[in-house]
Amino acid sequence: MAVSFPSVEYFEALREKMAAHQDKFQRLGFIDTTFGVSVANNGKSRSFILEFEVYELKSVREVPSVDPRQVDFVLVGDSRVWREMIENIRRNGEADTSHDINTLAHLGEQLKIVYDSPDGHDKLYRFMESIQEFFDLTSQVDVSFNQ
Amino acid sequence: MAFYADKDYTQDQEVLEKMNQVMAGNLGLGWYDARTEKIKGRPRDLRRGLTYQDLDIGSYGYSKIPEFIRDNQSMVARGSEKVGKLPDMGYVLNRKSDVWSDNVTTLYEEAKSRRWAPAVDVPWTELDRNPLPHELEAACAQLYTFLQECALVSMDFPSRWVPLVNQDLIELKSFMCAQMLDGSRLLEAFRKRALYGGAGLGRASVSAEQGLKEWLWADTYPQGSVSINLSLAGLLLAVYRHVAAFAPSRVDRRLMGYAMQDAARQVSYGLGALRYHLRHQPAQAAAMNQYLDDTEHVILALLGSPELLEPLIIISGGGLEREQVKAGRLATAKLIRLAVREYLERLEAAGLSGRPGNSRIPQAIERIQVEA
Amino acid sequence: MAYLATRNFLEDKDFVDKWLYTIRTGELDLSWMKSATEKVKPHEANPRRGLTYRDLDIGNYGFSALPEKVRENRSYAPRGAEIPAGVPDSQPWVSRKSELWAFNTESYYEEAVSRQWNATTDIPWDRLESAELPETIGKALSQLMTFLTEVEMIATDTPAMWLPRLNPDFIEVKAFIAAQAMDEARHTEVFRKRALTTGWGLMQASPMNEMALKHLRDADSFSEMSVALHLVAEGNVLTMFRFSEYLSPTDVDKKIFRLVMQDEARHVGYGMQHFKYVLEHFPEKREVLHAHLDEAENISFAGAAATELTESFIILAGGGLKRENIEEGIRITTIFNLKQMQEHFERLEKCGMPERKERSKLYMMYEMGKAAAEAAGIRV
Ligand SMILES: [Fe+2]
Ligand SMILES: [Fe+2]
């Protein structure tokens, strides 16, 4: 059954896949970061907080909005950008260079990285390979778009 | 320099007697009731194993390291009982706030956990199946030549200082060792990438090397650390992200993905160490500002060196056609602004306020224009 | 100590203008594209190993082409790049290949990167919960671990001190040292962690062994440093790890010693291959190395007076403090001591210094010790 994007169910589905691929994530190493994901659509947005610990996604929850001071960083973007990313991953099995998190966020033109402190911001790069691998698991999840 | 033992021990009756006594079964057991704290450390979280944080206990913990380490110049393990005549190893970094950062144990554990191996973790042979156009490959060869110069200096820096750091700061010394291996691994990966593409190495950069040597040879560790761990690593982190975003091949993208993880750890330490330093030695802020005034020109020596700038333009634009070069210039100009903005943010976050006003770098950056 | 670049680049108008001009107009200089460097095409000799430093041993990029005296590069430029005038001098102290080279340096490094392990996660620490040791064994183990954590970091500090002093053309050696530094940090860590999980904490420092540490670090040349560190000290430690694995009171300790042994064997391997290389390629150095070995062996012998170590070893070897335990402990420790010396001389002989035995006081002590042991019915 397809999970809709954006939703807690979508991230929960990725969480399950992550648990099923522990070997991959253990090889990449500890991932200790809590970050936000914000998806904007027609002036409204839905936000989620993802808490990673050791090799796992410990929790995910939806929040009315993310306070950058409560997390390491927030990935903010239009639902169109997120959708393109997801569809790209579904097509290729993993994001291609134009659709990976780093590229989308690099110059702030597709996704924006909002952060309060540079320490938090730098965690995006410290754990980049794991974070990308996490989103790439979308290739194993059926996703529908409800917005 | 050589250190010679105080006597010929093979001829020393006292030593022979001591040894004979023990081997005759007359154990002295002077160590048996060592006056040390008795603890049994255990992992807090089994998934994570037994970390240095788990052992931050009592007299063994790093939290208890004093600001001034006056009672140890030997290699005695922190927390064990000191006896007899111990040598003076000549450490010059004996003040915790000259080197420490609150995240140092986290970063050490992370460095080990997130290790990689350039020989096998980069899909090298994809470059055979999809070779790059000549000018793009030449640009890569030049870029990776430049990055090797930077990686060499990043490896030399912790090596230079680690033997001078007091042994009580063992977790920090261990992190410096991890930095050495990180530096060496990047040097290796960049060399392999440059040569594998078939274009050979490019040209060394006079301006970059002059600047790098000024940073590497800083008088004090706190100064050198700001330059190498915060300024240089921060700048390289931005470059790695940029090359990953405009990666001409999957090889480059994968390589840069790993490189950014290593560089980001270095930056996190650089920022944390400066913060700790200024928090405990606030009077050093003025000196640090002065040091940056004097040495910030190196940022320009790096960003302005044609051996970096031109390949970056070509790689970001995808080639040498007029339109490609224009797109490349636009992207590279954005990268430069981004790198400088993040550099100033980090200094600010470390507690060195007012830097954007004092630094001459922003003025230089403001003069950048990109014509059609 | 500070070095000042030949120019302040912010004040160098030509430099800044050229930079701005390039970005503004897109008129690239591209002179670097015409670098007079060799074009080569490496390939993975063994795809399962991936792309190794040995695969890059081609033309003037290769380590095989390194001259005995590096005269051309003294900067931070990677070997084989075009070096323009004006690059700084990195002030290397060692620019002579035979002073530091080892046969197979590159493969020791590749092996190190490939076989990195993690003291935090690769040791089954949780199993110690159910492994209560008797007091004597626990304390003896803690004392052994105290000694080991005390000495391991010197094997970082010593080569690390030399790393920035080596000509940058010797990348493979620099890389090996960087990897060794990390190996030793991990050893310090794993032994410290084990001591702090016995319930007894760390025990007593070892002044005799600390003297050895100072000697190791303060050598006059890289080659002397390597002989004392990689061959003598780490050789001794390697034998010790093998015995410690055998004496380990728990399977957790066995695992620890097996893992550190792998690393240590690599360091000793480099040391032997360097020793061989320097004797073959720099014959004048032989006497200098003999003289340094005189000192290193003297200090190595002094370690016998470190009773806190010998005694804990005896207890671990014999399994306790009862009379019969001590007797058995002494038997094994005697074999260990002799084995350490025997292997030391075997290594020297294998590397091309068979005459060492005739000159060495330590060898005399070894022969006396062996005779005494045999008289006591202990067969080595
Ligand atoms: Fe070791
Ligand atoms: Fe070693």
Side-chain angles (χ1 to χ4, degrees), chain C residues 30-45:
Chain C
L30 297 183
S31 55
W32 50 266
M33 255 195 199
K34 292 170 212 97
S35 300
T37 59
E38 210 177 331
K39 313 293 168 223
V40 296
K41 182 63 193 110
H43 72 282
E44 296 179 353

Side-chain angles (χ1 to χ4, degrees), chain B residues 1-5 7-10 19 22-23 25 27-33 36-42 46 48-52 55 60 74-78 80-81 83 85 87-89 108-109 112 115 119-120 124 128 138 142 148-149 152 156 159 162-163 167 173 177-178 180-181 184-185 187-188 191-192 195-196 198-204 206-207 209-210 213-214 216-219 297 300-301 303-304 309-310 329 360 367 369 371, chain C residues 1-3 5-9 11 15-16 19 22-26 29-32 35 37-42 44 49-51 53 61 75-79 81-82 84-86 88-89 91 109-110 116 118 120-121 125-126 129 136 139 143 149-150 153-154 156-157 160 163 171 174-175 178 181-182 189 192-193 196-197 199-205 207-208 210-211 214-215 217-220 295 298 301-302 304 307-308 311 330 334 361:
Chain B
M1 189 164 81
F3 171 86
Y4 303 118
K7 56 188 162 192
D8 181 346
Y9 280 92
T10 57
M19 199 164 59
V22 173
M23 295 317 261
L27 274 51
L29 297 180
W31 52 274
Y32 196 80
D33 292 312
T36 56
E37 209 176 328
K38 306 302 165 208
I39 63 157
K40 189 170 167 87
R42 29 178 77 80
L46 281 181
R48 212 185 271 285
L50 183 68
T51 62
Y52 262 138
L55 299 177
Y60 298 111
S74 74
M75 300 213 65
V76 169
R78 190 180 72 224
S80 44
E81 185 186 346
V83 288
K85 188 179 155 218
D88 179 339
M89 301 299 284
Y108 174 63
E109 296 289 355
K112 289 182 298 157
R115 68 190 180 271
V120 290
W124 300 107
D128 299 331
Q142 178 56 49
Q148 284 176 70
E149 294 169 280
L152 178 63
D156 274 7
S159 316
V162 73
Q167 176 78 356
K173 288 184 81 131
C177 295
M180 288 168 68
L181 183 56
S184 151
R185 211 168 38 202
L187 179 58
E188 172 202 347
R191 185 173 183 83
K192 287 177 173 175
L195 293 181
Y196 198 79
L201 292 182
R203 182 173 75 196
V206 173
S207 57
E209 286 204 16
Q210 284 291 343
K213 184 171 174 186
E214 182 163 328
L216 175 64
W217 284 59
D219 273 333
H297 74 101
L300 206 70
L303 288 175
L309 177 70
E310 298 193 356
R329 285 184 290 138
R360 287 152 76 197
R367 295 174 60 199
Q369 291 169 4
E371 277 173 11
Chain C
M1 192 163 83
Y3 171 78
T6 47
R7 286 174 280 168
N8 180 317
F9 288 90
E11 287 162 10
F15 182 82
V16 176
W19 174 56
T22 305
I23 302 177
R24 193 172 70 239
T25 64
D29 163 84
L30 297 183
S31 55
W32 50 266
S35 300
T37 59
E38 210 177 331
K39 313 293 168 223
V40 296
K41 182 63 193 110
E44 296 179 353
R49 265 186 217 289
L51 184 64
Y53 262 137
Y61 297 111
S75 68
Y76 299 100
R79 189 174 71 218
E82 183 175 296
D89 191 311
Q91 309 298 337
Y109 171 68
E110 293 283 356
Q116 288 295 301
N118 188 344
T120 302
T121 47
W125 297 106
D126 53 313
E129 281 298 328
T136 41
K139 281 185 169 176
Q143 180 59 50
T149 196
E150 183 175 6
M153 205 69 186
I154 199 67
T156 278
D157 283 3
L163 191 149
I171 353 161
K174 286 175 115 97
M182 185 61 216
E189 174 196 353
R192 182 177 181 88
K193 286 181 172 176
L196 297 185
T197 48
W200 300 104
L202 287 164
M203 303 286 284
Q204 210 174 62
M208 284 310 255
E210 290 254 344
M211 179 174 72
K214 176 99 169 155
H215 167 75
R217 206 200 48 190
D218 294 359
D220 287 339
E295 295 298 327
N298 178 33
F301 185 78
T307 47
E308 66 286 331
E311 291 180 359
I330 287 171
T334 303
K361 286 184 182 163

Side-chain angles (χ1 to χ4, degrees), chain C residues 152 155 183-184 187 234 237 241 264 267:
Chain C
E152 283 289 348
D183 292 345
E184 307 299 2
H187 297 178
E234 299 193 283
V237 162
F241 286 168
E264 222 51 65
H267 307 157

